Amino acid sequence: MLVPKYLFSKKYLFASIPIIMGFSIIFMLLYKPFSATVWFGLSNFRQMSETVSFYAAGVALMALSKFLMMKFQSR
């Protein structure tokens, strides 16, 4: 199965990161009032640091995976 070439373009790879992050932040903010077990938020320093750490790790992982996909595709 071949992957379409446009999925490997630099523009697509790195433009998708802010789109995915924006969607996930909106989803989590909408989901929070309906969950009794939610751990993320910005109400106190601990929750804020956990949320920011989670998003920073997510962005780093996405950027790394997209960078590796771009490098392997160019081979």
Side-chain angles (χ1 to χ4, degrees):
M1 177 180 207
L2 294 175
V3 178
K5 294 290 182 192
Y6 73 90
L7 291 177
F8 291 112
S9 70
K10 271 188 185 180
K11 181 181 175 183
Y12 179 81
L13 289 175
F14 291 106
S16 65
I17 292 174
I19 293 169
I20 292 168
M21 292 305 296
F23 178 79
S24 68
I25 289 170
I26 291 169
F27 175 79
M28 291 179 111
L29 290 174
L30 292 174
Y31 173 75
K32 186 177 179 179
F34 301 106
S35 176
T37 60
V38 75
W39 59 267
F40 51 86
L42 302 174
S43 60
N44 60 36
F45 182 73
R46 182 171 182 233
Q47 275 189 334
M48 184 175 67
S49 63
E50 288 175 352
T51 303
V52 169
S53 299
F54 175 76
Y55 274 103
V59 168
L61 184 63
M62 271 195 297
L64 177 66
S65 68
K66 289 177 183 273
F67 177 76
L68 290 174
M69 186 166 51
M70 187 175 62
K71 285 297 181 186
F72 284 125
Q73 189 272 337
S74 66
R75 284 186 177 183

